[in-house]
């Protein structure tokens, strides 16, 4: 049952040797307002070359607020 109502982002490395993909998917399914972002080629660490993808995913919800969309 999804009890967390705040927007959330679950990022999971598709090649994570420590935490299986099923665990990331289960976490995402447990949150009502979630974006699930599996990243192909990523393991358990977050390499700097993936920073742009992760930063965009983190910032995306802030562009859509209760005050309307932010124009660029």
């Amino acid at each position: 049952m999804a009890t967390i109502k705040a927007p959330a982002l679950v990022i999971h490395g598709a090649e994570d040797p420590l935490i299986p993909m099923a665990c990331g998917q289960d976490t995402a399914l447990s949150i009502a307002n979630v974006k699930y972002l599996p990243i192909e080629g990523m393991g358990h660490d977050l390499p700097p070359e993936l920073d742009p993808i992760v930063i965009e995913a983190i910032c995306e919800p802030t562009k859509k607020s209760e005050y309307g969309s932010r124009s660029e």
Side-chain angles (χ1 to χ4, degrees):
M1 178 168 79
T3 58
I4 298 172
K5 304 226 185 318
L9 172 64
V10 174
I11 300 172
H12 198 281
E15 315 306 321
D16 191 331
L18 299 175
I19 302 172
M21 284 289 289
C23 294
Q25 293 165 338
D26 185 56
T27 298
L29 290 171
S30 299
I31 302 171
N33 190 11
V34 70
K35 177 178 180 179
Y36 178 57
L37 179 62
I39 300 181
E40 291 298 322
M42 188 174 99
H44 193 70
D45 62 337
L46 184 58
E49 58 268 18
L50 294 176
D51 285 354
I53 294 169
V54 173
I55 290 168
E56 176 60 29
I58 292 169
C59 292
E60 185 179 342
T62 65
K63 295 177 185 177
K64 305 172 199 159
S65 74
E66 64 187 58
Y67 303 106
S69 295
R70 207 177 76 187
S71 59
E72 305 270 335

